Amino acid sequence: MGSCRADLEMDFYAESCPKAEKMVYDYVNDHIPNTPSLAASLLRMHFHDCFVRGCDASVLLDFTTATGNQTEKIATPNQKVRGFDFIDRVKDLLEDECPGVVSCADIITLVARDAIVAIGGPFWRVPTGRRDGVISNASEALDQIPAPSSHFSTLYTHFANKGLNLRDLVLLSGAHTIGISHCPSFANRLYNFTGVGDEDPSLDSEYATNLKAKKCRSINSTTKVEMDPGSFRTFDLSYYKLVLKRRGLFESDAALLTDPRTRSIVTQLVEGSIENFYQEFAKSMEKMGKIEVKTGAFLKGGKGTDGNRANFGYVDFIELCFLAQWCSPPKYLLESFYRKLNVTRRETLKYDVLKQ
């Protein structure tokens, strides 16, 4: 069972990189207002990152020794995720200011929050201190990221495995109030739900007809579709209202009505205020941002010399190599490493690395 507990802290970089969070905030607010649709994708990236090996930026990796190019980034759930170049640009700014200090995992988390705030959405606290992961596997992303075709039991299991409850499931699904999808994510609901050319009976028939006439004109269409039609740029309660009308785009949206507990939560949110939704969404985002995070004194996310092959610096890689017994770095590097961590035994640290 996963966990949302973590040894993170507010203003983790107050001494090591005091301008870090302000720099992220400024960059996001300089650019997101010009491309507000990117906010939804950056939030989605954060969600997908946290659901696979915790919030560790493993979604950014293009290459790992173990899996080669078969990393999370190329997995089906991430193929339509945008914003990787945006994260890279933020990382470059922070590297110029504080080389090798701010982790990519913290950058993703901060950027997602600031992007949502920039489009008028809710604010939530982001404690920092996450370490970046060094393992990224496409098959794990496919297995662990909830698919848009998920039924209630599957959603329940995925969220429970990460220490999230049914209220978190409903609230985090509320992120579908912004952004777009593509026809392949739900076309079977329109054209071939049970394999005999039928529609999904849980989808409002008028809405289905409209989608087939104006958006997904065949089962092979790749057209973009608003997840919250007429309100897809506004972080509001419209998504939940559509779900109650059986107009949620995905099977996973419709699934929220198939269990009385989640249906009740959806109804409560619709009947409540936008302020209440924002407060509750913020709490669930704070929980999600703490899923299985890695914390500690090293691997703090410096920029590698080979793009996104690894999100930490050369010296950090040498240290990791040594701890995992992959190589034998020069003695002076090891002495510097032990002085930095104030340790004399490597066994405990080696285990900490290998268990990732």
Side-chain angles (χ1 to χ4, degrees), residues 9 17 23 49 53 62 70 98 103 192 227 231 245 295:
E9 58 186 84
C17 193
M23 290 175 68
D49 181 47
R53 293 185 171 272
D62 291 325
Q70 300 302 304
C98 312
S103 70
N192 199 31
M227 290 191 290
S231 181
K245 294 178 180 178
T295 58

Side-chain angles (χ1 to χ4, degrees), residues 40-157:
S41 195
L42 291 166
L43 182 59
R44 183 182 178 195
M45 182 192 298
H46 179 35
F47 179 90
H48 286 196
D49 181 47
C50 290
F51 264 66
V52 184
R53 293 185 171 272
C55 310
D56 67 349
S58 53
V59 70
L60 300 181
L61 294 176
D62 291 325
F63 179 91
T64 71
T65 302
T67 61
N69 292 319
Q70 300 302 304
T71 58
E72 293 170 35
K73 186 186 284 189
I74 64 96
T76 299
N78 292 321
Q79 289 179 1
K80 297 294 184 181
V81 173
R82 298 183 300 132
F84 291 107
D85 56 339
F86 191 95
I87 298 296
D88 284 343
R89 292 196 295 272
V90 175
K91 179 63 175 173
D92 287 340
L93 287 174
L94 293 173
E95 283 300 296
D96 289 341
E97 177 74 16
C98 312
V101 174
V102 183
S103 70
C104 292
D106 281 336
I107 292 173
I108 291 176
T109 310
L110 288 165
V111 165
R113 189 271 312 276
D114 291 346
I116 296 304
V117 173
I119 64 167
F123 172 91
W124 60 92
R125 286 162 36 97
V126 176
T128 45
R130 298 164 186 80
R131 287 197 284 116
D132 291 337
V134 297
I135 299 172
S136 183
N137 194 312
S139 63
E140 291 181 347
L142 192 60
D143 291 341
Q144 297 177 31
I145 296 172
S149 59
S150 297
H151 296 168
F152 177 81
S153 59
T154 303
L155 292 170
Y156 176 86
T157 299

Side-chain angles (χ1 to χ4, degrees), residues 30-276:
D30 284 345
H31 293 84
I32 290 298
N34 299 323
T35 54
S37 63
L38 189 56
S41 195
L42 291 166
L43 182 59
R44 183 182 178 195
M45 182 192 298
H46 179 35
F47 179 90
H48 286 196
D49 181 47
C50 290
F51 264 66
V52 184
R53 293 185 171 272
C55 310
D56 67 349
S58 53
V59 70
L60 300 181
L61 294 176
D62 291 325
F63 179 91
T64 71
T65 302
T67 61
N69 292 319
Q70 300 302 304
T71 58
E72 293 170 35
K73 186 186 284 189
I74 64 96
T76 299
N78 292 321
Q79 289 179 1
K80 297 294 184 181
V81 173
R82 298 183 300 132
F84 291 107
D85 56 339
F86 191 95
I87 298 296
D88 284 343
R89 292 196 295 272
V90 175
K91 179 63 175 173
D92 287 340
L93 287 174
L94 293 173
E95 283 300 296
D96 289 341
E97 177 74 16
C98 312
V101 174
V102 183
S103 70
C104 292
D106 281 336
I107 292 173
I108 291 176
T109 310
L110 288 165
V111 165
R113 189 271 312 276
D114 291 346
I116 296 304
V117 173
I119 64 167
F123 172 91
W124 60 92
R125 286 162 36 97
V126 176
T128 45
R130 298 164 186 80
R131 287 197 284 116
D132 291 337
V134 297
I135 299 172
S136 183
N137 194 312
S139 63
E140 291 181 347
L142 192 60
D143 291 341
Q144 297 177 31
I145 296 172
S149 59
S150 297
H151 296 168
F152 177 81
S153 59
T154 303
L155 292 170
Y156 176 86
T157 299
H158 277 302
F159 276 70
N161 285 345
K162 301 302 175 182
L164 300 172
N165 59 33
L166 291 180
R167 198 162 195 88
D168 298 318
L169 166 59
V170 174
L171 287 160
L172 295 176
S173 295
H176 290 175
T177 187
I178 55 171
I180 60 171
S181 185
H182 298 79
C183 292
S185 295
F186 59 90
N188 69 304
R189 300 188 77 194
L190 303 176
Y191 291 102
N192 199 31
F193 187 63
T194 64
V196 294
D198 55 339
E199 288 183 7
D200 180 354
S202 71
L203 182 64
D204 177 73
S205 59
E206 183 179 345
Y207 184 42
T209 299
N210 183 275
L211 285 170
K212 288 194 286 187
K214 298 182 179 180
K215 298 291 184 180
C216 308
R217 293 176 178 170
S218 78
I219 196 169
N220 298 315
S221 175
T222 58
T223 304
K224 295 178 181 178
V225 181
E226 299 170 6
M227 290 191 290
D228 186 358
S231 181
F232 76 107
R233 289 193 176 95
T234 306
F235 212 99
D236 56 21
L237 290 166
S238 176
Y239 161 76
Y240 294 116
K241 295 175 182 178
L242 290 174
V243 168
L244 287 177
K245 294 178 180 178
R246 300 191 298 119
R247 293 191 172 196
L249 199 59
F250 308 124
E251 288 178 68
S252 60
D253 297 325
L256 299 180
L257 300 183
T258 62
D259 184 277
R261 294 166 295 179
T262 48
R263 176 190 279 270
S264 175
I265 296 169
V266 171
T267 301
Q268 290 171 23
L269 288 168
V270 168
E271 293 175 349
S273 66
I274 188 67
E275 292 79 15
N276 175 68

